[in-house]
């Protein structure tokens, strides 16, 4: 009976789920912005939107293994779609903020090039910045494809097996996001030519989130393997 009640509470329609996730996005993004009041306006918004995107995608990654570990959590499976869609929309917004506010639509700067003050030519300087942004672009393309394929119509067109195979690439997306985010959290601002800023408070929560997702996936894998082994 308890399982049925929980399932009923979580089994909202897709419109309601979108509204609830949107409210979470607004509240969460505002909290991230206020937590870095000493930063410049561009970086406050850039990191707040990026962090909120990471949170939503992390939550969507947790639902899968949780549904294998608990019958109660299975009722949360439909939420993966809305969490993923809004996570990708935030990632797109994050990219636009970088293009407008950081590299100022000078696309070659996105790949680590800067103008040499004497020759006035582009030279490669920020190697990590360029590589991390390339990884971020690949992740963004992955995310957009997954978000566009999240509809029931696309699922019917592709067929169940093909659609499921496509959605399984979310694990690749997750790894790309981890690498991209980790660079900016731990490496980009460690430049000996400049004053090193105070550590970003999100460093520890970032690692904790990755550990939680990994442990859930490992536990779900072991449970699935154990069940299959006992069945055989």
């Amino acid at each position: 009976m308890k399982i049925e009640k929980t399932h009923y509470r979580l089994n909202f329609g897709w419109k309601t789920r979108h509204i609830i996730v949107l409210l979470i996005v607004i509240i969460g993004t505002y909290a991230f912005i206020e937590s870095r009041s000493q930063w410049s306006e561009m970086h406050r918004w850039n990191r707040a939107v990026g962090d909120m995107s990471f949170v939503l995608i992390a939550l969507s990654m947790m639902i899968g293994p949780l549904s294998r570990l608990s019958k109660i959590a299975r009722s949360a499976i439909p939420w993966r779609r809305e969490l993923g869609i809004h996570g990708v929309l935030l990632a797109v917004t994050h990219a636009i903020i970088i293009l407008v506010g950081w590299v100022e639509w000078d696309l070659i700067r996105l790949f680590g090039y800067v103008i040499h003050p004497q020759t006035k030519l582009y030279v490669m300087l920020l190697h990590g910045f360029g590589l991390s942004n390339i990884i971020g672009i690949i992740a963004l393309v992955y995310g957009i494809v997954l978000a566009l394929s999240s509809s029931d119509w696309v699922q019917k067109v592709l067929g169940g097996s093909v659609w499921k195979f496509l959605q399984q690439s979310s694990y690749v997306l997750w790894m790309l996001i981890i690498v991209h985010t980790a660079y900016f959290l731990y490496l980009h601002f460690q430049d000996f030519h400049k004053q090193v800023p105070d550590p970003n408070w999100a460093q520890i929560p970032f690692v904790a989130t990755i550990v939680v997702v990994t442990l859930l996936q490992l536990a779900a894998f072991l449970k699935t393997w154990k069940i299959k082994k006992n069945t055989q």
Side-chain angles (χ1 to χ4, degrees), residues 38-39 184-185 187-191 194-200 203:
Q38 73 278 12
W39 287 19
F184 286 101
L185 275 179
L187 299 177
H188 180 71
F189 298 99
Q190 304 297 314
D191 189 338
K194 302 177 182 178
Q195 182 179 358
V196 178
D198 294 333
N200 191 328
Q203 289 180 349

Side-chain angles (χ1 to χ4, degrees), residues 42-43 45-46 49 92-103:
M42 186 278 294
H43 280 296
W45 278 94
N46 172 38
V49 173
V92 172
T93 306
H94 171 69
I96 292 173
I97 293 173
I98 291 175
L99 288 172
V100 176
W102 198 333
V103 302

